[in-house]
Amino acid sequence: MAEFRPFEVSDVRFPTSRSLDGSDAMNPDPDYSAAYVTVPTSDGDAGNGFVFTIGRGNEVAASAIHAVEAMVVGLDVDEVLGDMGAFWRRLVSDSQLRWLGPEKGVMHMAVGAVVNAVWDLKARRAGLPLWALLAEMTPRQLVDLVDFTYLSDALTPGEALALLERAAAARTERMAHLRESGYPAYTTSAGWLGYSDEKVTRLVGEAVADGFTHLKLKVGADIDDDERRVKLVRGLVGPDVLISVDANQRWGVDEAIANVRRLTPHGVYWIEEATSPDDILGHRAIAEGVHPVRVATGEHVANAVIFKQLLASGAIDVCQIDACRVAGVNENIAILLLAAKYGVPVCPHAGGVGLCEVVQHLSMFDFVAVSGTTEGRWIEFVDHLHEHFEDPAVVTGGAYRAPRAPGSGARMLPDTLRDYSFPDGVVWTASADETTGNTHHTTG
Amino acid sequence: MAEFRPFEVSDVRFPTSRSLDGSDAMNPDPDYSAAYVTVPTSDGDAGNGFVFTIGRGNEVAASAIHAVEAMVVGLDVDEVLGDMGAFWRRLVSDSQLRWLGPEKGVMHMAVGAVVNAVWDLKARRAGLPLWALLAEMTPRQLVDLVDFTYLSDALTPGEALALLERAAAARTERMAHLRESGYPAYTTSAGWLGYSDEKVTRLVGEAVADGFTHLKLKVGADIDDDERRVKLVRGLVGPDVLISVDANQRWGVDEAIANVRRLTPHGVYWIEEATSPDDILGHRAIAEGVHPVRVATGEHVANAVIFKQLLASGAIDVCQIDACRVAGVNENIAILLLAAKYGVPVCPHAGGVGLCEVVQHLSMFDFVAVSGTTEGRWIEFVDHLHEHFEDPAVVTGGAYRAPRAPGSGARMLPDTLRDYSFPDGVVWTASADETTGNTHHTTG
């Protein structure tokens, strides 16, 4: 009988602020980071997961993962892997830890890291990539993963089951299609706010040459500059490439409506994070005010309860799940089911470090077993930091290639864990003056 | 020129689970705790604040307070105290730490602890209790404390100013009334779920004898038992004492409506935390479904953006602010202003440890300078752990007595900080088998 052993938790940080990769109106100088957990078993296996952060406070997420540890160590591995729904409920409903959310923020993300690590382990033991493991579970098994307590006024277990059963018939052919053609991607690599026009022009050209038909630009610092940049890129790509914009929560509701209307003549596909991710009624007002521009949000939406309201009330046209914001795979399945019920396409947030690697599995599962389509759907792609992973995401011809290796994609390389460890890894000690993550450098 | 010095952060825990004080349907065995911060100045002053938790995870909140520390140490004290609005925005909008919320959960509560500590300092330096310090600020100064970015679609700075100016005329007489008569309280001391009928009967009798005209009972574990207990207490107190009930988020939306209807014939004033605190649309559906029973929530509402929606959409009839859930005094002033605009009475959550001491200042300020009335308003009172504070809350004749000592009420006694320190304080080392907070004891 194998049981779970004490976690190894690493505070891993990448000095991305040195090149302004990832700069946007809300986050001018992120150091992409992970509070990374290894969940070992007594028979020598391990699963990996992480909380993604952008630098300072990564140690708080690591502390939260340790708080979850006591609920897991000593549990029977087979029993946990055999009822992942019960495991999720156990971790989310610990009464004392729940107080720190509830079901939001650092504590919820830490639960997500551990839940995801155990899914990684389950997929490795099954010898399957996570998306295929999920896509081969029966509709009933999938429904049992979800806690419907706060969701059933919008989606009952019976409705979820019916939805999954309808999609089940064509699973095999969709899996074959996925292995053949991959899953559509869009790119944000060209549009960071800290980049010069020259760099944007070069990167947009490269993106189109690489097969991308959908680009995203950061906006939200200055609307005149935003309009100029959208116009610039529209001029570069012509009318047939989709351009979405992302304000990273910088605007109030009325401001968002006015600003999006300024950008609309240049052809905007979606407006992302126009305002606070908690503002359901605000997003609905924005959706009414900027139609036909689509309203997108989700990377900072704390849990399925907020997603339920955004979806059921017509506040969003694009549902942007994140692999590491909610409490892991189970809660993201709940959100995929809600999105399918309301007919809203799921276009995951990715980038950062490791988010592409993990979230692709959820979209691929969604295609095979839930929504049954990739129409109007793309997974975000940002081309950096993939080299730190055992099984890096592969995007070619504007599409994510279906992972074939067992697991969830979350495992980092041992050298990375050593060199990027904060504050003692060589990347940080070699340039002690830059360890705060506060320094600004011109772009590389 | 005085500047802020490095914080002292204490993990203080009270073994309340040993007597089931504070037990409810969601939280069967809380160990009331505080991640307690002292913010010292170079000229020998200090302010205090804390994150309130119920045990496990208190160390995560302490870690989050340390993450805030770097933004404060070295700042000029007079400059900060002179522009508390700017200080609040600085702490809430640090881009890297903000990612961990945003504006919710552990990180936001830690910011709240530090903001509250600096308000405590400001009040001490002014020689005033916090409520009086706030009540003597001009309407313009109060408006400048609030960040309206995500709120202005519901409440503009101009509307807030007008509202405060209307209330300003009668401030002096309301301050005199408050010092004379105090502020109405209701009690939860009699209604914890873990108490026997005999204990409830005795405590209800004592509460009525002590002058309370409004009691609250915990429900949500078993509706048959809930109905029996409400009926029992109604029989004890007769028709004129108000009875509210608190489900501590145990129900889904439809379940909440059905269960409240079961209790309604026995006379229920409000239903508190019927479902997830994030469910704005759910609360609105419940409000429609259980009318005329009032819907109350707020102690777990993460920020002013969620409160804005609950208030603007008519989802709640009672607004339950908490001193330590949102980012401190400034954000609670925003919520008081929103509640006043929508005419919703504010009835703070208190109890735990220290919550009564701090939140009373906000209700008293609300009465003097914002809403101008105590009608339909009560501050929760739970009679335990007050002895650990330098200036404990005083409730007599069913009313909180206006504090007269300078400060916010947050300062704990040195002996308490020493003896209840976790895990090394004598309270925890003396009974090592009980240090997990998981043990159950029969009631004392």
Side-chain angles (χ1 to χ4, degrees), chain A residues 239-255:
Chain A
D240 295 336
V241 170
L242 302 180
I243 300 176
S244 289
V245 296
D246 182 355
N248 289 90
Q249 313 168 33
R250 280 298 295 266
W251 298 326
V253 174
D254 300 331
E255 195 181 7

Side-chain angles (χ1 to χ4, degrees), chain B residues 158-232:
Chain B
E159 287 176 301
L161 188 65
L163 196 153
L164 289 163
E165 282 171 346
R166 270 199 305 279
R171 279 186 185 186
T172 309
E173 67 192 66
R174 285 195 292 263
M175 289 178 88
H177 174 83
L178 195 59
R179 290 193 171 102
E180 175 73 23
S181 307
Y183 193 105
Y186 77 88
T187 179
T188 310
S189 292
W192 300 110
L193 214 52
Y195 288 177
S196 66
D197 284 2
E198 291 66 32
K199 185 164 181 176
V200 169
T201 300
R202 174 170 59 79
L203 292 173
V204 164
E206 288 173 13
V208 173
D210 285 346
F212 289 102
T213 58
H214 187 172
L215 313 175
K216 193 170 78 187
L217 307 179
K218 297 291 184 176
V219 297
D222 175 84
I223 186 61
D224 291 327
D225 192 51
D226 293 341
E227 188 177 6
R228 194 185 55 72
R229 287 159 54 94
V230 173
K231 203 172 156 185
L232 167 77

Side-chain angles (χ1 to χ4, degrees), chain B residues 106-138:
Chain B
V106 170
M107 203 64 240
H108 205 52
M109 292 192 276
V111 168
V114 175
V115 166
N116 282 349
V118 175
W119 275 106
D120 182 54
L121 174 74
K122 185 174 165 90
R124 288 173 186 279
R125 287 204 168 203
L128 291 170
L130 177 61
W131 71 268
L133 174 79
L134 294 171
E136 289 183 359
M137 291 175 75
T138 68

Side-chain angles (χ1 to χ4, degrees), chain B residues 252-309:
Chain B
V253 174
D254 300 332
E255 194 182 5
I257 295 169
N259 286 342
V260 174
R261 287 181 180 165
R262 283 273 305 270
L263 304 177
T264 305
H266 308 293
V268 172
Y269 188 75
W270 78 52
I271 168 65
E272 176 170 330
E273 291 210 300
T275 190
S276 164
D278 300 325
D279 201 344
I280 295 137
L281 302 178
H283 274 93
R284 193 170 59 185
I286 294 167
E288 284 164 10
V290 307
H291 183 82
V293 176
R294 293 159 185 80
V295 165
T297 201
E299 71 180 84
H300 283 89
V301 168
N303 56 44
V305 176
I306 301 278
F307 271 112
K308 173 187 77 170
Q309 299 170 81

